[in-house]
Amino acid sequence: MNEPVSVFRALHHGRPPGDPLVLPGPWDAASARAFEDAGFPALATPSAGVAASLGHEDGHTPAAEMFAAVARITRAVSVPVSADVEGGYGLAAEELVERLLEAGAVGCNLEDSAGGVLLEARRQADRLAGVRAAAGGRLFVNARVDTYIRGVPAGTDVVGETLVRARLYAAAGADCVYPIAAPAGDLPRLAAAVPVPLNANGTPDGPSDARRLGALGAARVTFGPLLQRRAADAVRGLAERLRGA
């Protein structure tokens, strides 16, 4: 139970309403240390934030650079770190798992769209099952559901389609599902119908937002690239002050 992945998995379960697991998203070693020093028990890297720190557009980070960045982050802290690896960079399940473990990650996000288009749900479920089989219990798999950001055919119930995908992914072995950008009002229905913990998007304005999302059914709250962007804004403000603007 003391293995980092077991600790990380346990953090998602048995949480009272209003007390979700809050996972800040470090984009480099320095930010990771800052979040650990603040007392967070685990971290989850955002692919967009890491991409920005490396000088890439979101979705255009070469796999080798992403895994190297994750490795620098995991080496910098003693708490468990999950990694957003987008769609898996075209790697076979066994190689993806190997690269994640080599980087020191205890979990991963895998999204169900490519090129801005939703993947066929059963195909993605098969992909997740392959990753879970290759990992055994060594990785916590967070299955991202992109129905809210990629769109569904006209007339489709977005919540219904999200639930179809979420249940398929849970049945395939996903430890958690992440309906990215789901409105807060949809969370109770989603959480009630999905048999694994639910990941929701939060805002970095204080703990009250996370508590609100937890009360609506979220077991886990992440922030995507928002923390990195706030830090970049702070640097711009500092630069303006130094220039006397």
Side-chain angles (χ1 to χ4, degrees):
M1 185 62 188
N2 291 326
E3 293 181 1
V5 66
S6 297
V7 171
F8 186 69
R9 186 170 281 113
L11 286 170
H12 291 76
H13 294 278
R15 308 197 68 89
D19 182 31
L21 173 62
V22 176
L23 295 176
W27 55 93
D28 59 13
S31 60
R33 291 191 191 102
F35 293 134
E36 181 182 32
D37 289 346
F40 289 97
L43 307 173
T45 69
S47 62
V50 173
S53 76
L54 297 174
H56 297 295
E57 295 294 324
D58 184 22
H60 291 83
T61 306
E65 290 191 44
M66 183 62 76
F67 287 114
V70 171
R72 287 191 293 272
I73 289 168
T74 64
R75 288 197 301 266
V77 296
S78 61
V79 297
V81 178
S82 183
D84 182 349
V85 290
E86 303 175 278
Y89 308 111
L91 300 174
E94 293 79 6
E95 184 176 357
L96 177 61
V97 168
E98 181 180 351
R99 298 283 290 275
L100 283 162
L101 294 174
E102 286 177 349
V106 301
C108 65
N109 279 16
L110 285 171
E111 58 198 48
D112 68 347
S113 63
V117 178
L118 284 168
L119 300 173
E120 198 279 320
R122 291 192 180 277
R123 173 185 166 194
Q124 179 67 1
D126 289 343
R127 166 79 160 153
L128 292 167
V131 171
R132 186 56 190 259
R138 297 176 295 169
L139 286 175
F140 183 99
V141 178
N142 188 31
R144 202 178 89 175
V145 184
D146 289 358
T147 43
Y148 287 94
I149 62 170
R150 301 306 182 201
V152 295
T156 301
D157 174 14
V158 179
V159 177
E161 177 63 20
T162 302
L163 285 174
V164 167
R165 291 171 176 267
R167 288 172 178 145
L168 279 172
Y169 302 162
D175 295 282
C176 184
V177 293
Y178 177 21
I180 187 171
D186 289 352
L187 296 181
R189 181 178 168 191
L190 294 171
V194 177
V196 295
L198 190 75
N199 188 159
N201 296 101
T203 58
D205 297 318
S208 61
D209 180 63
R211 288 195 292 265
R212 177 180 66 92
L213 295 173
L216 292 171
R220 160 175 164 160
V221 174
T222 55
F223 306 93
L226 291 182
L227 301 176
Q228 184 273 330
R229 291 173 183 170
R230 290 284 183 93
D233 288 343
V235 171
R236 291 187 190 97
L238 176 60
E240 290 171 358
R241 290 194 295 277
L242 289 172
R243 288 278 295 172

